[in-house]
Amino acid sequence: MPTPNNPYADIVTPPVPDGPLSELTAPSAARPSESELNPSRLNGSKRRHAAKGSRSAALGLAVVSTLGMAAYLHQASQSSGSATTIPSGPATTSTKKPFETKSMADGVWNGDASTNRWGLVQVAITVSGGKITAASAPLYPSDDNRSLSINRIAIPKLVQSTLTAQNANVNSVSGATATSESYQTSLQSAIDISHAAS
Amino acid sequence: MATGIHHVEDVMGMPVSIHVRDDIDASAISTVIAWLHHVDATFSTYKMESPISQFGLGLISADQLSEEVRDVLTLCESVREETSGAFDIACVPAPNGSALDPSGLVKGWAIERAAELLETHGAENFCINAGGDIALRGNAEPDQPWRIGIRHPTEPLASAAVLSLGGRAAIATSATYERGAHIIDPKTGEPTAELASVTIVGEDLTYVDAYATAVFVMGLNGAEWLLETHPELDAFVIGHDGLTWETPGFNRWRSS
């Protein structure tokens, strides 16, 4: 979680580099309207993730009220702390506003589409046990000729134990393990050893 | 435990883990190991006698380079142009004192060639992991794709995501979470540190590895660059604040 001293806390607005890349990231005035954008994009998302079941569909598909990226980040950074004041509403059952109470209601919560420098953004979070367990912000760059989007998902500390547990059954590990020294203390090394011992 | 061959070779300055699930002749592994040592002898910037060192130091001319070396340098140049210089093999001093270090592409290229060698020896199900960059084929077990963990940037034994990859796949992660590790931005000459790690998933480790480096240098704009220029690839980006970004297609690789 970012702290006031964290130099990367403002990662939501990284500097745009000089040169051609800045052209790619410049917001376009010709952004498609929400009604144009969402059905096809969401259908595309659904197709892509159809095999993955409800989780991605839930994160990507439902729609409710207004929540900007910056506000979302604020919330994400304080997910283990006290209430914040982001206006939002429930997606489905509860009538409580999830971010105005210290105990968030379980469920999938969705923000309205808003825009930032990357284009149209729509935030969704999943709350379980009163805490955010997943958050995403599919975004739709102004170049809408292709179904391009980036999902932004926070991995809260609270789910790390689950992530660790998943390691019990991996076959290989991708990571920057550039030296023999680091390899020796890596999960990959443990995997290799387990095979050598079999 | 699956049948097959498992071998770890320390070569090119890092451990290379080779896991073959098929019952193939051990000579296939020997061939791959010989290849990797050949690559090391040819491209190592730690070996003053390697052709790449000799060329980088101006001791031999381009005409004296093998076609293999010229091909790799041409590949490096094409990636440099494509990434607007975010990937550049001539930006920082190499260990040999020259300003030419193609190591960032050579590793992925060499492992992808190693995978082809295994295939020509009849292997259909294998995974080669070179310092965390992976080329794989087929399945880990019958009808079970390879489960690949992406190392959590601050928890060495944890995975930030676990993927199921089968068929032909390549996955590479660029990060600086190792002590002393750094990736230089060719444009500034300074270490880049906007992101904690960048993972790219695709089919050809030659490019996947180089693009992971380039996107790491570009920062968050790099993820956008990848989406626009290589929609066939997927990316998973972790920020220092724990936030992650992923391309829309990335989720399909997640292991259930």
Side-chain angles (χ1 to χ4, degrees), chain B residues 121-141:
Chain B
H121 282 77
E124 297 176 345
N125 303 278
F126 59 85
C127 177
I128 308 175
N129 186 328
D133 298 329
I134 298 168
L136 63 82
R137 301 287 188 277
N139 290 325
E141 311 286 342

Side-chain angles (χ1 to χ4, degrees), chain B residues 4-82:
Chain B
I5 302 175
H6 314 294
H7 180 87
V8 181
E9 184 76 5
D10 212 336
V11 61
M12 304 192 298
M14 68 197 151
V16 178
S17 307
I18 304 168
H19 290 219
V20 182
R21 294 297 198 249
D22 310 289
D23 284 321
I24 58 169
D25 195 280
S27 65
I29 302 294
S30 304
T31 303
V32 168
I33 292 169
W35 159 250
L36 295 176
H37 283 283
H38 162 75
V39 171
D40 199 20
T42 305
F43 290 98
S44 174
T45 51
Y46 288 88
K47 301 180 192 298
M48 299 303 284
E49 69 278 14
S50 72
I52 206 72
S53 289
Q54 296 280 298
F55 178 64
L57 294 167
L59 301 175
I60 62 174
S61 68
D63 295 343
Q64 295 170 274
L65 293 174
S66 66
E67 187 175 348
E68 175 182 76
V69 175
R70 285 202 298 267
D71 286 349
V72 165
L73 293 177
T74 303
L75 264 178
C76 290
E77 177 59 15
S78 70
V79 175
R80 186 192 67 80
E81 290 179 3
E82 192 187 8

Side-chain angles (χ1 to χ4, degrees), chain B residues 140-233:
Chain B
E141 311 286 342
D143 302 321
Q144 284 186 20
W146 296 89
R147 286 169 54 87
I148 308 296
I150 296 173
R151 210 203 92 153
H152 192 287
T154 59
E155 306 285 338
L157 297 182
S159 294
V162 178
L163 311 184
S164 285
L165 298 173
R168 179 186 181 185
I171 178 169
T173 298
S174 279
T176 54
Y177 38 62
E178 290 194 346
R179 183 161 47 89
H182 59 269
I183 295 174
I184 298 294
D185 182 346
K187 292 181 177 176
T188 65
E190 298 293 323
T192 178
E194 182 180 339
L195 302 174
S197 85
V198 171
T199 297
I200 309 277
V201 180
E203 290 196 349
D204 187 336
L205 190 61
T206 307
Y207 294 96
V208 164
D209 193 7
Y211 292 155
T213 303
V215 170
F216 189 90
V217 166
M218 293 182 205
L220 277 180
N221 292 301
E224 199 167 4
W225 169 84
L226 192 82
L227 272 171
E228 303 218 357
T229 56
H230 290 287
E232 78 280 11
L233 302 178

Side-chain angles (χ1 to χ4, degrees), chain A residues 153, chain B residues 195-200 215 219-220 222-223 235-239 243-247:
Chain A
I153 297 179
Chain B
L195 302 174
S197 85
V198 171
T199 297
I200 309 277
V215 170
L220 277 180
F236 180 70
V237 175
I238 305 176
L243 287 174
T244 72
W245 294 67
E246 62 187 62
T247 52

